Amino acid sequence: MTDLTSLKYTAEHEWIALDGDIATVGITDFAADKLGDVVFVDLPPVGSPVLAGEVCGEIESTKSVGELYAPLTGEVVAVNEAVVDDPSLVNSSPFDDGWLLKIRVDAPASADLLDRQAYLGLTGAAR
């Protein structure tokens, strides 16, 4: 089980696990719950560049279609093929098996990323 306090978050409901210059990215349990049952995930190909704050993928659920925003600038070095094959992993294991992509970041993590407490405050979960 991932230590959720060790992750960074965005206001667009992505989580980021930094390991050196590699950022693993997924969507939070809050976002997965709001989307409902995820039925399709479209991720950028390995080797493609992504820019922080720009759309880099799509997550389709039975309720709606959501856009995936790149939380950091860099190059996609891996995508989670298990999620492409079984999008329900986003719902069942958003912080572990449901990760979406890995980015080799160009620069240190942005100060705009949130810690767990700030993210919970954003979603109204912190009391």
Side-chain angles (χ1 to χ4, degrees):
M1 174 97 189
T2 300
D3 175 8
L4 301 183
T5 61
S6 70
L7 303 176
K8 296 293 185 185
Y9 300 86
T10 69
E12 289 75 34
H13 309 291
E14 286 105 10
W15 59 261
I16 302 102
L18 287 166
D19 182 12
D21 64 346
I22 302 296
T24 303
V25 179
I27 66 167
T28 66
D29 53 347
F30 177 84
D33 185 55
K34 291 295 181 191
L35 279 170
D37 294 333
V38 175
V39 295
F40 179 76
V41 175
D42 181 36
L43 299 173
V46 171
S48 62
V50 292
L51 293 172
E54 294 199 359
V55 174
C56 67
E58 202 170 80
I59 301 171
E60 184 177 333
S61 72
T62 54
K63 290 182 181 177
S64 66
V65 176
E67 296 178 322
L68 176 66
Y69 293 90
L72 300 164
T73 297
E75 177 185 343
V76 176
V77 294
V79 296
N80 188 350
E81 295 294 341
V83 165
V84 174
D85 293 340
D86 181 7
S88 70
L89 290 172
V90 172
N91 296 108
S92 64
S93 183
F95 294 105
D96 293 302
D97 297 333
W99 65 273
L100 298 174
L101 53 95
K102 293 181 186 271
I103 301 170
R104 182 179 316 278
V105 296
D106 288 346
S110 168
D112 295 337
L113 298 178
L114 307 172
D115 64 18
R116 180 73 179 164
Q117 197 60 36
Y119 178 72
L120 291 175
L122 178 75
T123 62
R127 301 260 185 246

